[in-house]
Amino acid sequence: MDLSLRLSEDMKQAMKSKDKFKLSTIRMVRSAIQNVEIDTKRTLNDDEVLEILGREIKQRKDALHEFEKANRFDLVDTLKEELDILLEYLPAQLSEEEIKAIVRETIQETGATSKADMGKLMAALMPKVKGRSDGKLVNAIVQQHLQ
């Protein structure tokens, strides 16, 4: 099912079940998607919607870290719930072992041998793991392999 369509259907379901929290979370994401659609004057495909979802999740994870440092546990709980809802729409995440295998394969493809080749390696690697892994984890694994 198209991701935008799934978001719409889940929003309708949240309205019917009177799940105000899920409804507001989905509305925030749909609003971000619609803003991009208005700016680009076209309908987004699933990859672009996934990119927006990833950006929304990253924003919440960054805010979560800041709220934890500030001892704002009321906001931490809210953000965790939002993250749980948003993570449902991402494809299955790769395990650390799967990421390591992809990194090794990409190192062989690109011939990267040192940290100087990291940009070239990351450019080849990120499309393979986009939406299925955390960029920070991928970066850390690449750094381990290039030492």
Side-chain angles (χ1 to χ4, degrees):
M1 178 188 286
D2 182 350
L3 198 51
S4 294
L5 183 61
R6 182 173 165 212
L7 282 164
S8 296
E9 292 300 317
D10 287 353
M11 188 174 81
K12 290 176 191 174
Q13 189 60 40
M15 281 184 214
K16 289 177 184 175
S17 65
K18 296 186 178 14
D19 185 348
K20 292 181 181 181
F21 190 79
K22 186 171 186 173
L23 177 62
S24 70
T25 303
I26 294 173
R27 278 185 173 157
M28 280 190 280
V29 172
R30 283 186 37 89
S31 174
I33 292 167
Q34 286 176 331
N35 286 338
V36 173
E37 286 179 338
I38 290 168
D39 290 344
T40 61
K41 295 182 173 78
R42 64 182 178 80
T43 304
L44 300 180
N45 62 32
D46 273 357
D47 289 337
E48 294 164 321
V49 172
L50 273 175
E51 189 175 315
I52 293 170
L53 271 169
R55 193 173 28 215
E56 292 291 317
I57 288 169
K58 184 179 183 323
Q59 287 175 353
R60 282 164 178 78
K61 284 183 178 179
D62 292 345
L64 184 68
H65 179 69
E66 294 301 318
F67 289 150
E68 285 174 342
K69 282 193 333 192
N71 293 326
R72 291 295 311 270
F73 297 110
D74 54 327
L75 297 174
V76 167
D77 293 340
T78 302
L79 281 177
K80 282 183 180 178
E81 288 180 46
E82 284 182 9
L83 277 169
D84 289 343
I85 292 169
L86 295 178
L87 289 171
E88 292 174 17
Y89 296 99
L90 290 182
Q93 298 295 294
L94 296 171
S95 71
E96 194 169 329
E97 291 305 315
E98 291 171 318
I99 295 170
K100 286 179 182 179
I102 294 170
V103 167
R104 284 190 293 272
E105 174 187 310
T106 308
I107 286 173
Q108 288 178 345
E109 290 172 6
T110 61
T113 56
S114 67
K115 287 194 179 193
D117 300 324
M118 190 163 174
K120 177 174 69 170
L121 176 61
M122 291 299 281
L125 179 65
M126 288 313 287
K128 295 179 181 181
V129 297
K130 188 175 187 176
R132 299 184 305 150
S133 66
D134 181 32
K136 290 179 183 177
L137 177 61
V138 172
N139 191 316
I141 291 171
V142 166
Q143 297 222 9
Q144 287 174 354
H145 280 76
L146 291 180
Q147 287 182 352

